[in-house]
Amino acid sequence: MKKVTPNILKIEVTTRCNANCIFCSHRFLNKKHLKDMPFDTVKMLIDQTNWRWKPEIQLSGFGEPTLYPDLVKAVRYCHKKGLKSSFNTNGFLLTRDLMDQLIKAGLSQFRFAIDGYSKKTYESLRRGLNFETVLYNALDAWGLCRKSKTRMIILNVICKENENEFILLKDFWSRHSHKFEVNQEMPFVQGRVEQFYSDICDHFWTQMQVRVNGDVVICCLDFPPNYTKLGNVYETPLLEIYNSPSFNKLRLNFKKSIYPDVCYRYCVRK
């Protein structure tokens, strides 16, 4: 089988989070899973991406990247290596000073998650966060991004609690960002969504997810405690894992419509 390289390398720099979102199962994580990835490991992973086609480095996973103490250093290192960098954030800690540092470090783009047009709706979904602070940070970040090369994307998780505000939300943030993206709520929390069905993805050929402990898993939805370990970056180089017999078997099975458990849990109808 021809060797493949990912277009996007997702590095989970932290599993810590400052929110308690009702549609996310992060709050059920065991405390032993809450940690930061050493910056030396982040550098080691970035150093391995000297492939013909340079991947985008997404500094995100099952945590809030702005809690990672070396986020600016990681972005700067990506820029130094000629790589695009990005991350997803709830924006509560994305102050003007941090945003300014990230822009100067060479951040390519980031996704700012905002799921409510009103304070009541937003804070009922993103528990633990303050609507006014997030709104201020988002508009402030947009002002800085408009004067730089950093792209700002607003990410909305649509669900039953905010669907009546969707038109207002989309209209406002489409005018205050480079792009407005919508995600359907997925069944992370029992009792909220029975199943999520999507078009067949291409993650096995385009993306690679490294968990905070160095484990390589199937995709961003393959999170602890029950994930499929395909290798560990402390034991095996990235490209060797991505082209390993286990990864290639997943690709071959995928073509035959034989999917791993994580696909059936979230994305594919049995």
Side-chain angles (χ1 to χ4, degrees):
M1 183 176 289
K2 183 180 178 181
K3 282 194 174 183
V4 292
T5 58
N7 298 330
I8 300 175
L9 175 61
K10 297 182 177 182
I11 303 174
E12 187 176 63
V13 293
T14 185
T15 47
R16 295 183 296 125
C17 191
N18 57 340
N20 190 26
C21 305
I22 67 172
F23 42 65
C24 181
S25 61
H26 184 280
R27 63 182 182 274
F28 302 125
L29 277 184
N30 190 298
K31 287 186 178 181
K32 69 179 182 180
H33 293 298
L34 303 179
K35 60 183 72 174
D36 295 339
M37 180 180 284
F39 181 60
D40 284 345
T41 302
V42 176
K43 286 179 63 179
M44 179 264 287
L45 295 174
I46 293 171
D47 285 341
Q48 290 185 46
T49 61
N50 56 340
W51 309 319
R52 181 179 179 184
W53 306 109
K54 292 183 179 294
E56 174 188 326
I57 307 298
Q58 191 174 112
L59 302 164
S60 294
F62 205 40
E64 170 52 44
T66 56
L67 286 169
Y68 185 56
D70 294 314
L71 181 61
V72 175
K73 287 171 62 177
V75 168
R76 186 180 295 116
Y77 197 71
C78 288
H79 186 68
K80 178 183 176 182
K81 293 291 183 176
L83 300 169
K84 292 182 178 180
S85 59
S86 65
F87 60 83
N88 299 341
T89 178
N90 60 44
F92 184 73
L93 298 175
L94 197 62
T95 62
R96 171 180 281 262
D97 179 59
L98 177 56
M99 190 70 241
D100 188 54
Q101 290 184 59
L102 289 166
I103 289 173
K104 289 178 179 177
L107 180 66
S108 303
Q109 71 175 23
F110 65 102
R111 289 176 175 82
F112 201 127
I114 299 181
D115 310 302
Y117 185 77
S118 66
K119 176 181 176 68
K120 181 179 179 181
T121 299
Y122 177 85
E123 292 186 357
S124 71
L125 295 170
R126 299 270 173 181
R127 293 177 180 173
L129 304 183
N130 177 269
F131 177 71
E132 288 84 1
T133 299
V134 171
L135 180 63
Y136 179 87
N137 287 350
L139 293 174
D140 205 33
W142 173 232
L144 292 174
C145 288
R146 291 177 67 187
K147 301 173 185 177
S148 72
K149 295 180 180 180
T150 302
R151 283 176 53 81
M152 175 175 164
I153 298 170
I154 294 296
L155 181 62
N156 169 248
V157 176
I158 191 167
C159 56
K160 60 185 179 181
E161 287 87 354
N162 67 5
E163 59 185 1
N164 64 320
E165 295 185 355
F166 178 74
I167 300 296
L168 292 170
L169 195 70
K170 181 179 179 181
D171 179 66
F172 181 82
W173 288 111
S174 293
R175 292 182 284 109
H176 296 86
S177 66
H178 290 100
K179 185 179 180 182
F180 181 84
E181 290 185 356
V182 181
N183 275 357
Q184 181 181 337
E185 184 181 1
M186 295 186 183
F188 293 148
V189 181
Q190 187 176 8
R192 286 195 53 81
V193 180
E194 289 185 5
Q195 190 81 22
F196 168 82
Y197 303 118
S198 72
D199 295 329
I200 299 304
C201 71
D202 59 357
H203 284 197
F204 291 140
W205 291 268
T206 62
Q207 301 186 23
M208 188 176 193
Q209 175 76 59
V210 183
R211 289 289 172 219
V212 71
N213 63 354
D215 285 345
V216 173
V217 297
I218 290 175
C219 70
C220 60
L221 300 181
D222 203 10
F223 45 72
N226 302 312
Y227 60 73
T228 303
K229 179 180 175 181
L230 296 168
N232 187 283
V233 299
Y234 292 112
E235 302 166 359
T236 313
L238 283 173
L239 214 52
E240 192 173 323
I241 296 173
Y242 203 59
N243 290 275
S244 64
S246 56
F247 231 123
N248 285 333
K249 183 178 180 180
L250 285 170
R251 294 186 182 104
L252 288 172
N253 284 341
F254 207 82
K255 289 181 178 180
K256 300 175 185 176
S257 299
I258 302 172
Y259 309 118
D261 289 342
V262 65
C263 298
Y264 286 119
R265 285 202 300 270
Y266 302 122
C267 300
V268 179
R269 188 188 300 271
K270 287 187 178 180

